[in-house]
């Protein structure tokens, strides 16, 4: 395969304008820290903290930032707005995580996912930010409050914590911002304020504070648009290039309209989304971003009207979208450190598109704009926005195949989601059919949600096979060299598989209890101290209820716990069930000794558990029945726990890059997985375990009752030969349709040959642009650390043709 | 019932007939094509072959018919989605114990699964006649139109091959004619014209022609079986492939390059 098929160039784009903007984005800027937000926030807090309520403080701070922030405007750009004062500049959020000087040095110096920090940035951090924020930062206080047993399990890598360096969010816009300007939102807020019943409503003051905070952020949004309009007019007044002068005046008119008023044209609609995106992601590092969701459906009426009126051509619409893609790509996710970096080591901000989804009335939503978006993703080949498609029974085969044509070029996008699965998952969690159809999306990575109506919060990854490792080691953790779990007895004295499984279940309950207790504490801190009024304005029914998004104001609230390593735990349990207790071909003591020794000197045991034992991923009922039992246990232990804001916990199967970290903190596993080796991602089989091809993999994966989860990620890697030609396309389409017919939630494809990846590892300089699918998102191969690169190379490459 | 040896049951098989298929590879073949890329398919008996780690593994095992039907029916959903099914291949499937084959074919057809038979044609006609009611498609090899060359390179003349092909065509079987192409041996203009003439003369009805250019990916298997690989064939040029494709298409037969 030629590299050009997978590698974007610095001058991609369908017009000269886009090619130039793309080149500027990639060549003139590098990832850096932007201190402006932190400085303005500090000034605002110094002015108002302690004098007003939390929602009003957040509202005032947001407005203060919008009034003063630098407005970046690229020459010949179409869509305006950056998170920092220039492209690729990432703001920090010291109110959540106040970076130390060592963190800054690490961000600047690390090889992958670096952020350049200037001497001036360091000075500001040391002299202004740290003195004010270090003790106030939520993370600092969280660490002091969380109990010792929580820290022990956290340090041992039993779970991660999502809300330590980042706030809740990671959510998706529905269609309301395309019909509602921020002046209209203000009018709604004013109506609610006017109706507050100070006599009968015990929450009257809280309601007022929440609504006033929301009103202030609307003012901030309107100011942002006005300032851009003014800036464009000021520049136009002295501009000598007549074309750019004209463009500036047009831009000013766009910003006169949005975000204050509802958009009237295609371009205004795109700009409305983008202003909202910048607002939401400046207000809070809401783990991480905000997503446009069903962008094709939201833009379709504007596209149709503009074309009918002769205001817009198809090519012009495409150019606007391509510029939006560049704007997405110019905003790296806020810098992470420590475990948070390990669980999510990427610049990607997890902005997710759901193209081709169902319409609110349940009919297929595939339109001309859907095809336009496919063309744009193919043309731009950018990490962001993460471009996915939803496929339903009603999707035209042509749409599926066009999406596959883009996907099989080998950079992992688009990934494929089942509309029917998403809708049933949402309804299982209590959403109405109308809301599920209207707003059913997969966001961020693979988690399902109800766009614009739900706070569905990822709370952290759970290392399932390590829970089992604790059982085998009587609660002692080899990684941290201390007792972190329960001692449930010496496994060599267990007389039945059931006894072993019961111990596993008990240990799981202990770990999840500690995790959920921590979650509840953290959730309460966000409820009381860290409201997000802007996200609340655009999420139903926060205005109506007068309750913040972080405090349960959304119509629906869900807390996900993302389970990692289901294949490893399944295969490990099977190895012991079959070989120790049923066939009695090996003793428990020998399995334990082999795992301790990483199988060195235990070759016969390794061969037995690795080669001669049934494995998940082969449509083998013996192994898959254990998977089903494990999934029931996960549901029993994790799902349905109540949280302080009235949410419930839900099982989900998403890894991001956490499967690599979780593997690093583990010994060898009883299924023959060596010590330190990454766990499989999502519900993908253990590496090398799937030996019957992709149909067997998806059959096994479908035995997991995915409809009762918040989503499950399945990764399939193919070499180019398998998916070549019309026949290859048709076979992939059938594989997807078959998987979705069995209620699969998500599947994604990597189509790259092993030789290419090995060469890329040896000569990274030749493969700067090589994009691969990691897990729920794509990333540049060179951005991945060695362990993750190795893992991607090792994932079973399906060469079955 | 005598059970044949099977050396592989391959799911998501995409080059042995239409759609997503499961191919059952039967072990043992009556002829010895010198270009054979499945060296382990030739002998009717089990044998040891080195795996990728250099460890000898026994090749060839038996299956109960029920077990095999269940195994291939696991992917029925994908056959339905893709217009695929099951392919009997080899080795040479039609040289295997007939009662077993018929019972297996019946089991598969009872579930409504599409069945293709991949054969070299050097088999008893009565076997083909027996399987005919169950076979939806024949993947029929024609290696040399010239019997002497057929004899030289496969160890058997082509009389049975041609006779059986005519028989199947006359019986109304759906035939995908598979032409393995070896440079300067059977890809020449002369061989092409002789083949076309024979097909026309005998009124053979062909649903499709698959052109299978020779490849040597199977060389390593001989080493792993402890045998010597004496293959010395060349891949046809793209020009020849295009010319052969055009000639068939001119006669109204769809052509596919590759399986």
């Amino acid at each position: 395969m030629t590299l050009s098929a997978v590698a974007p160039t610095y001058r991609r784009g369908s017009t000269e304008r886009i090619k130039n903007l793309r080149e500027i984005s990639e060549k003139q800027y590098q990832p850096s820290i932007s201190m402006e937000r932190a400085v303005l926030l500090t000034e605002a807090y110094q002015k108002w903290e302690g004098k007003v309520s939390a929602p009003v403080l957040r509202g005032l701070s947001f407005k203060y930032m919008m009034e003063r922030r630098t407005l970046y405007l690229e020459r010949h750009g179409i869509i305006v707005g950056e998170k920092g004062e220039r492209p690729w500049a990432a703001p920090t959020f010291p109110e959540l995580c106040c970076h130390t000087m060592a963190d800054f040095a690490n961000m600047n110096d690390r090889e992958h996912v670096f952020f350049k920090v200037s001497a001036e940035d360091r000075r500001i951090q040391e002299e202004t930010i740290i003195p004010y924020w270090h003790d106030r930062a939520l993370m600092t206080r969280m660490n002091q409050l969380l109990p010792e047993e929580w820290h022990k399990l956290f340090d041992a890598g039993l779970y991660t914590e999502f809300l330590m360096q980042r706030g809740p969010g990671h959510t998706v816009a529905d269609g309301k911002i395309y019909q509602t300007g921020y002046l209209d939102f203000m009018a709604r807020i004013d109506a609610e304020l006017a109706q507050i019943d100070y006599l009968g409503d015990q929450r009257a003051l809280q309601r007022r504070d929440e609504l006033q905070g929301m009103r202030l952020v609307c003012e901030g949004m309107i100011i942002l648009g006005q300032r851009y309009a003014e800036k464009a007019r000021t520049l136009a007044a002295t501009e000598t290039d007549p074309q750019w002068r004209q463009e500036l005046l047009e831009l000013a008119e766009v910003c006169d309209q949005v975000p204050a008023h509802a958009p009237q044209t295609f371009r205004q609609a795109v700009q409305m989304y983008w202003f909202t995106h910048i607002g939401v992601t400046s207000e809070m590092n809401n783990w991480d971003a905000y997503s446009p969701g069903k962008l094709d459906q939201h833009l379709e009426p504007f596209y149709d009207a503009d074309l009918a009126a002769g205001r817009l051509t198809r090519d012009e619409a495409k150019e606007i979208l391509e510029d939006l893609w560049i704007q997405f790509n110019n905003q790296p996710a806020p810098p992470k450190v420590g475990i948070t970096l390990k669980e999510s080591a990427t610049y990607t901000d997890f902005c997710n598109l759901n193209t081709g989804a169902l319409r609110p009335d349940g009919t297929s939503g595939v339109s001309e704009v859907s095809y336009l978006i496919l063309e744009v993703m193919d043309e731009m080949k950018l990490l962001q926005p993460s471009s996915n498609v939803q496929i339903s029974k009603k999707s035209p085969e042509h749409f599926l195949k066009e999406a596959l044509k883009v996907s099989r070029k080998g950079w992992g996008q688009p990934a494929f989601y089942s509309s029917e699965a998403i809708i049933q998952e949402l309804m299982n969690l209590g959403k109405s059919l109308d809301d599920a159809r209207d707003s059913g999306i997969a966001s961020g990575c693979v988690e399902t949600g109800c766009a614009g109506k739900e706070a569905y919060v990822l709370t952290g990854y759970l290392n399932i096979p390590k829970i089992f490792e604790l059982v085998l080691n009587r609660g002692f953790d080899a990684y941290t060299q201390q007792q972190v779990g329960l001692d449930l007895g010496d496994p060599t004295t267990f007389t039945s598989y059931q006894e072993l499984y019961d111990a596993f279940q008990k240990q799981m309950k202990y770990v999840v209890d500690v995790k959920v207790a921590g979650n509840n504490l953290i959730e309460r801190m966000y409820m009381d101290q860290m409201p997000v009024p802007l996200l609340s304005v655009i999420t139903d029914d926060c205005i109506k209820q007068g309750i913040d998004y972080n405090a349960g104001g959304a119509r629906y609230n869900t807390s996900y716990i993302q389970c990692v390593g289901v294949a490893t735990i399944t295969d490990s349990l099977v190895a012991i069930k079959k070989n120790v207790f049923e066939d009695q071909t090996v003793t428990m003591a020998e399995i334990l000794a082999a795992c301790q020794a990483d199988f060195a000197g235990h070759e016969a045991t390794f061969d037995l558990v690795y080669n001669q034992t049934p494995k998940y991923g082969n449509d083998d009922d013996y192994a898959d029945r254990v998977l089903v039992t494990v999934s029931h246990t996960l549901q029993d232990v994790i799902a349905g726990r109540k949280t302080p804001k009235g949410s419930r916990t839900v099982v989900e199967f998403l890894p991001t890059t956490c499967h690599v970290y979780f593997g690093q903190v583990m010994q060898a596993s009883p299924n023959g997985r060596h010590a330190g080796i990454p766990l499989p991602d999502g519900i993908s089989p253990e590496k090398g375990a799937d030996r019957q091809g992709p149909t067997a993999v998806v059959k096994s994966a479908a035995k997991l009752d995915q409809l009762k989860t918040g989503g499950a990620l399945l990764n399939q890697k193919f070499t180019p030969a398998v998916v070549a030609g019309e026949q290859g396309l048709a076979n992939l389409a059938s594989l997807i349709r078959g998987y979705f017919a069995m209620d699969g939630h998500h599947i994604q494809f990597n189509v790259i040959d092993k030789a290419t990846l090995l060469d890329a590892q040896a000569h990274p300089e030749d493969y700067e642009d090589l994009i691969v699918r990691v897990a729920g998102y794509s990333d540049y191969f060179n951005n991945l650390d060695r362990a993750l690169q190795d893992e991607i190379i090792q994932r079973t490459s399906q060469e079955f043709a | 019932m005598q059970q044949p040896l099977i050396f592989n049951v391959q799911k998501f098989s995409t080059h042995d007939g239409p759609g997503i298929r499961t191919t059952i590879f039967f072990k043992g073949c009556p002829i010895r094509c010198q270009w054979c890329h499945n060296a382990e398919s030739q002998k009717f008996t089990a044998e040891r072959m080195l795996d990728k780690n250099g460890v000898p593994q026994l090749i060839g095992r038996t299956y109960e018919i029920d077990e095999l039907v269940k195994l291939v029916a696991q992917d029925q959903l994908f056959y339905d989605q893709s217009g695929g099914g099951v392919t009997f291949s080899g080795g040479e499937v039609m040289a295997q114990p007939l009662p077993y084959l018929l019972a297996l074919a019946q089991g598969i057809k009872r579930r409504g699964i599409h069945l293709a038979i991949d054969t070299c044609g050097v088999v008893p006609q009565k076997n083909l006649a027996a399987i005919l009611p169950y076979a939806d498609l024949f993947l029929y090899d024609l290696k040399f139109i010239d019997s002497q060359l057929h004899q030289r390179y496969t160890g058997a003349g082509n009389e049975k091959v041609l006779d059986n092909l005519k028989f199947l065509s006359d019986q109304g079987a759906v035939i995908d004619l598979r032409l393995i192409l070896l440079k300067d041996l059977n890809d020449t203009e002369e061989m092409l014209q002789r083949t076309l003439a024979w097909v026309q003369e005998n009124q053979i009805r062909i649903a499709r022609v698959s052109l299978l250019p020779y490849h040597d990916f199977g060389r390593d298997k001989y080493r792993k079986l402890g045998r010597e690989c004496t293959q010395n064939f060349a891949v046809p040029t793209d020009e020849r492939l295009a010319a052969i494709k055009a000639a068939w298409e001119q006669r109204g037969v769809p052509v596919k390059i590759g399986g």
Side-chain angles (χ1 to χ4, degrees):
Chain A
M1 109 191 270
T2 57
L3 190 62
S4 61
V6 293
T9 70
Y10 288 127
R11 286 185 62 79
R12 281 194 164 271
S14 59
T15 65
E16 225 17 62
R17 177 201 305 271
I18 297 298
K19 287 185 211 296
N20 290 335
L21 291 170
R22 175 76 179 262
E23 184 168 348
I24 289 166
S25 161
E26 306 222 6
K27 291 291 186 194
Q28 284 189 14
Y29 294 101
Q30 61 173 343
S32 63
I33 288 291
S34 163
M35 294 305 292
E36 186 176 78
R37 180 190 181 279
V39 168
L40 292 174
L41 181 85
T42 309
E43 288 170 11
Y45 265 66
Q46 282 170 336
K47 212 166 153 156
W48 290 300
E49 193 193 19
K51 298 176 190 164
V52 295
S53 67
V56 173
L57 176 61
R58 298 295 295 171
L60 284 168
S61 302
F62 182 83
K63 188 177 165 189
Y64 186 87
M65 289 190 280
M66 292 304 119
E67 285 166 342
R68 288 163 179 80
R69 56 168 308 179
T70 303
L71 300 183
Y72 183 85
L73 217 169
E74 187 61 63
R75 205 173 171 83
H76 298 303
I78 304 168
I79 302 300
V80 294
E82 312 282 337
K83 285 206 274 192
E85 62 264 45
R86 60 188 173 273
W88 283 97
T92 61
F93 298 79
E95 69 269 47
L96 294 184
C97 167
C98 180
H99 296 122
T100 63
M101 297 313 289
D103 289 339
F104 264 33
N106 170 286
M107 283 177 214
N108 184 72
D109 299 341
R110 66 200 184 201
E111 195 182 347
H112 299 291
V113 201
F114 64 82
F115 289 87
K116 289 298 160 198
V117 186
S118 70
E120 175 66 2
D121 295 339
R122 284 174 220 260
R123 189 190 62 74
I124 294 169
Q125 186 74 7
E126 191 161 22
E127 292 175 9
T128 309
I129 307 301
I130 293 177
Y132 188 80
W133 288 107
H134 178 265
D135 294 340
R136 284 180 171 82
L138 225 48
M139 179 171 160
T140 311
R141 288 150 60 202
M142 221 176 263
N143 273 325
Q144 290 160 357
L145 284 169
L146 288 161
E148 193 191 351
E149 67 263 27
W150 187 96
H151 282 290
K152 276 186 178 170
L153 290 169
F154 178 81
D155 292 344
L158 267 300
Y159 47 69
T160 65
E161 177 48 61
F162 260 44
L163 302 181
M164 207 166 234
Q165 298 180 20
R166 303 168 289 184
H170 197 46
T171 189
V172 179
D174 64 0
K176 69 170 75 72
I177 54 172
Y178 304 93
Q179 276 93 46
T180 321
Y182 283 86
L183 280 170
D184 305 317
F185 284 124
M186 276 171 74
R188 285 185 200 172
I189 292 165
D190 287 342
E192 291 295 334
L193 276 167
Q195 279 177 31
I196 293 178
D197 172 8
Y198 290 95
L199 185 62
D201 180 358
Q202 302 303 311
R203 280 193 67 256
L205 181 59
Q206 279 163 291
R207 195 180 303 276
R208 193 177 85 151
D209 286 341
E210 297 284 2
L211 289 168
Q212 282 184 336
M214 293 185 208
R215 199 181 193 287
L216 284 162
V217 292
C218 291
E219 289 173 25
M221 288 299 292
I222 293 163
I223 289 164
L224 178 66
Q226 285 171 342
R227 289 186 60 217
Y228 260 113
E230 281 161 24
K231 170 147 186 169
R233 286 204 173 86
T234 308
L235 288 172
T238 53
E239 179 58 51
T240 51
D241 173 357
Q243 191 203 335
W244 179 225
R245 183 170 182 280
Q246 181 57 34
E247 287 175 20
L248 282 166
L249 293 174
E250 285 167 20
L251 173 65
E253 280 177 34
V254 170
C255 298
D256 286 341
Q257 183 71 23
V258 295
H261 310 277
Q264 302 299 316
T265 66
F266 184 86
R267 178 176 173 182
Q268 288 170 9
V270 174
Q271 184 65 61
M272 179 66 169
Y273 174 76
W274 191 247
F275 273 141
T276 301
H277 183 97
I278 291 298
V280 169
T281 54
S282 301
E283 176 182 47
M284 163 72 43
N285 175 2
N286 44 5
W287 165 220
D288 291 293
Y290 196 56
S291 297
K294 299 182 179 182
L295 188 64
D296 52 346
Q297 284 180 44
H298 300 322
L299 295 180
E300 187 189 1
F302 299 101
Y303 177 82
D304 289 347
D306 282 9
L307 253 68
R311 282 192 296 261
L312 183 78
T313 65
R314 193 178 190 281
D315 288 347
E316 284 165 357
K318 192 171 170 187
E319 187 178 53
I320 291 170
L321 286 174
E322 288 183 353
D323 193 37
L324 175 67
W325 255 242
I326 292 175
Q327 288 305 99
F328 269 114
N329 199 53
N330 282 347
Q331 322 300 324
K336 302 155 202 167
V337 292
I339 300 296
T340 304
L341 179 67
K342 289 193 176 196
E343 73 180 0
S344 181
T346 177
Y347 289 124
T348 293
D349 209 10
F350 300 97
C351 309
N352 203 327
L353 290 179
N354 282 234
T355 303
L358 292 176
R359 294 180 193 278
D361 65 0
T363 58
S364 166
V366 173
S367 70
E368 188 58 26
V369 183
S370 315
Y371 288 106
L372 205 52
I373 287 176
L374 281 183
E375 284 173 33
V376 171
M377 52 175 100
D378 189 27
E379 176 61 42
M380 300 306 284
K381 283 201 176 58
L382 281 166
L383 295 187
Q384 303 195 72
S386 201
S387 304
N388 302 309
V389 293
Q390 275 194 31
I391 300 299
S392 76
K393 287 180 287 192
K394 297 163 187 166
S395 304
E397 196 70 3
H398 183 65
F399 178 70
L400 173 55
K401 287 195 174 169
E402 288 300 306
L404 275 166
K405 275 186 197 165
V406 181
S407 180
R408 76 171 170 188
K409 290 184 182 174
W411 60 300
Q413 291 191 27
F416 297 81
Y417 292 83
S418 160
S419 297
E420 283 87 10
I422 287 172
I423 288 174
Q424 290 180 77
E425 286 155 13
L426 288 171
M427 292 184 66
N428 180 52
L429 295 172
K431 281 85 170 173
S432 71
L433 178 59
D434 281 342
D435 282 348
R437 277 182 181 155
D438 181 39
S439 297
I441 40 78
S443 74
C445 292
V446 302
E447 64 280 7
T448 189
C450 208
K453 299 168 182 62
E454 182 176 16
Y456 46 106
V457 180
L458 300 169
T459 68
Y461 299 107
L462 188 64
N463 191 342
I464 309 297
K466 177 132 188 179
I467 293 173
F468 188 58
E469 184 180 301
L470 287 186
V471 173
L472 298 181
N473 293 318
R474 306 184 65 168
F476 184 80
D477 173 44
Y479 181 67
T480 54
Q481 284 295 311
Q482 59 177 341
Q483 187 75 19
V484 305
L486 302 178
D487 178 359
L488 298 165
D490 179 356
T492 62
T493 66
F494 292 173
T495 54
S496 70
Y497 173 68
Q498 194 56 47
E499 195 177 349
L500 177 72
Y501 195 83
D502 290 346
F504 169 56
Q505 205 159 347
K506 270 186 205 143
Q507 193 73 261
M508 189 194 294
K509 182 164 184 310
Y510 171 72
V511 173
V512 172
D513 283 351
V514 175
K515 168 68 181 157
V516 171
N519 283 1
N520 289 349
L521 186 148
I522 292 165
E523 186 171 302
R524 177 57 74 179
M525 293 179 86
Y526 276 98
M527 286 174 76
D528 294 343
Q529 297 156 34
M530 209 51 72
V532 278
L534 180 56
L535 197 52
S536 304
V537 167
I538 50 181
T539 305
D540 298 331
D541 304 303
C542 296
I543 295 176
K544 210 196 285 177
Q545 298 204 65
I547 302 176
D548 188 80
Y549 178 93
N550 279 351
R555 186 174 302 167
Y556 305 111
N557 291 279
T558 304
S559 295
Y560 286 130
I561 293 183
Q562 307 98 256
C563 301
V564 178
V566 276
T568 308
I569 183 61
T570 298
D571 292 351
S572 295
L573 286 166
V574 167
I576 294 177
K577 180 177 194 271
K578 182 154 181 34
N579 299 313
V580 175
F581 291 106
E582 289 175 13
D583 298 353
Q584 302 187 3
T585 43
V586 67
T587 63
M588 181 70 97
E590 166 58 16
I591 293 269
L592 295 181
C595 288
Q596 294 286 351
D598 199 10
F599 295 99
H602 297 263
E603 281 72 23
T605 302
F606 178 80
D607 183 59
L608 179 70
V609 297
Y610 190 73
N611 290 316
Q612 319 287 338
T613 303
K615 307 257 180 205
Y616 164 69
N618 295 290
D619 198 9
D620 177 330
D621 278 335
Y622 185 95
D624 296 345
R625 266 197 287 269
V626 172
L627 168 87
V628 170
T629 309
V630 169
S631 74
H632 289 163
T633 302
L634 291 172
Q635 292 289 350
D636 290 345
V637 173
I638 295 171
R641 292 167 178 245
K642 282 173 87 169
T643 80
K645 67 178 182 198
S647 176
R648 298 258 181 189
T649 50
V650 174
V651 173
E652 206 228 3
F653 296 100
L654 149 79
T656 316
T657 61
C658 199
H659 55 298
V660 177
Y661 162 62
F662 277 175
Q664 283 166 354
V665 301
M666 284 183 63
Q667 295 181 314
S669 304
N671 64 334
R673 177 198 142 274
H674 284 292
I677 299 296
L679 301 178
D681 58 346
I683 56 169
S684 307
E686 187 78 86
K687 276 179 291 294
D690 52 324
R691 296 172 188 184
Q692 297 297 320
T695 54
V697 171
V698 304
K699 285 280 308 284
S700 281
K703 290 176 198 173
L704 193 82
D705 193 350
Q706 298 182 27
L707 299 183
K708 286 188 177 163
T709 72
L713 173 144
L714 181 64
N715 207 333
Q716 283 276 276
K717 184 160 164 275
F718 291 99
T719 52
V722 182
V723 298
E726 275 303 311
Q727 171 109 32
L729 211 54
N731 288 336
L732 274 182
S734 299
L735 193 69
I736 291 174
R737 296 268 192 198
Y739 185 47
F740 289 176
M742 294 184 293
D743 298 334
H745 171 91
H746 157 279
I747 188 166
Q748 66 190 26
F749 304 107
N750 262 322
V751 186
I752 291 168
D753 57 8
K754 200 168 177 172
T756 304
L757 293 177
L758 285 171
D759 197 49
Q761 202 172 39
H763 308 285
E765 65 282 5
D766 298 338
Y767 292 87
E768 275 185 19
D769 296 313
L770 180 63
I771 294 177
V772 294
R773 193 77 179 169
V774 182
Y777 71 100
S778 295
D779 210 338
Y780 288 114
F781 191 69
N782 285 352
N783 277 352
L784 310 175
D785 68 17
R786 181 83 190 193
L788 194 54
Q789 287 183 351
D790 286 342
E791 194 238 335
I792 286 176
I793 292 170
Q794 286 307 319
R795 274 182 200 160
T796 313
S797 174
Q798 302 284 8
E799 291 184 85
F800 279 81
Chain B
M1 190 186 297
Q2 195 192 339
Q3 293 182 329
L5 287 179
I6 287 164
F7 70 91
N8 193 10
V9 179
Q10 186 175 300
K11 294 182 173 182
F12 199 68
S13 170
T14 55
H15 289 91
D16 298 303
I20 295 176
R21 310 189 72 82
T22 298
T23 302
I24 303 173
F25 290 93
F26 291 88
K27 189 159 163 33
C29 186
I31 59 173
R32 290 288 177 276
C33 302
Q34 290 182 17
W35 56 84
C36 183
H37 65 268
N38 274 340
E40 77 276 30
S41 75
Q42 295 171 352
K43 287 187 184 169
F44 284 88
T45 50
E47 57 194 311
R48 293 200 180 273
M49 181 165 141
L50 301 181
D51 67 12
K52 65 181 191 313
N53 301 317
V55 181
Q57 302 289 347
L58 196 64
I59 301 294
R61 55 160 287 198
T62 59
Y63 286 83
E64 296 298 330
I65 286 170
D66 286 354
E67 181 189 6
L68 201 47
V69 172
K70 268 187 201 146
L71 185 60
V72 301
Q74 282 187 314
D75 276 6
Q76 187 158 9
L77 178 64
F78 301 102
Y79 310 152
D80 293 349
Q81 287 288 344
S82 65
V86 172
T87 299
F88 291 175
S89 185
E92 174 51 55
V93 55
M94 296 318 299
Q96 307 293 335
L98 194 59
Y100 182 94
L101 290 182
L102 295 179
L104 181 62
Q106 281 164 6
I108 287 168
K109 291 312 295 178
R110 262 202 297 275
R111 292 179 181 246
I113 296 172
H114 180 276
L115 178 62
I117 307 288
D118 181 5
T119 180
C120 71
V122 190
V123 297
Q125 199 165 90
K126 71 169 177 52
N127 290 11
L128 291 172
I131 203 88
L132 195 54
Y134 309 105
D136 298 289
L137 171 70
F138 284 88
L139 308 174
Y140 200 100
D141 296 357
L142 179 53
K143 300 169 201 301
F144 288 95
I145 192 66
D146 183 292
S147 190
Q148 282 185 345
L149 287 175
H150 204 287
Q151 174 79 43
R152 186 187 309 163
Y153 288 105
T154 75
N158 70 3
E159 290 75 14
K160 264 192 196 172
V161 177
L162 297 180
D163 190 40
N164 283 334
L165 181 54
K166 179 155 173 48
F167 168 74
L168 287 176
S169 175
D170 290 348
Q171 295 291 318
V174 181
I175 298 165
D176 179 348
L177 194 66
R178 292 162 77 90
L179 307 176
I180 169 112
L181 294 174
L182 309 155
K183 186 170 189 287
D184 299 335
L185 288 176
N186 63 4
D187 76 335
T188 61
E189 192 57 27
E190 186 210 336
M191 290 299 162
L192 172 66
Q193 291 308 329
R194 279 177 63 183
T195 308
L196 291 168
W198 183 85
V199 165
Q200 191 168 12
E201 203 173 296
N202 290 281
Q203 298 181 316
I204 307 294
R205 290 177 307 171
I206 297 167
R208 190 170 82 167
V209 164
S210 296
L211 304 182
L212 311 174
Y214 166 77
H215 65 77
D216 65 355
F217 303 155
R219 292 183 74 95
D220 205 36
K221 287 185 174 177
Y222 288 87
R223 181 186 61 77
K224 288 173 176 167
L225 284 160
R227 295 189 216 153
E228 199 187 341
C229 179
T230 54
Q231 286 183 16
N232 188 20
F233 298 100
V235 183
T237 61
D238 291 346
E239 290 73 24
R240 270 319 289 158
L241 281 177
I244 296 169
K245 184 169 185 278
W248 283 99
E249 282 173 347
Q250 216 171 32
R251 282 162 176 75
V253 181
V255 178
K256 191 181 170 204
I257 295 180

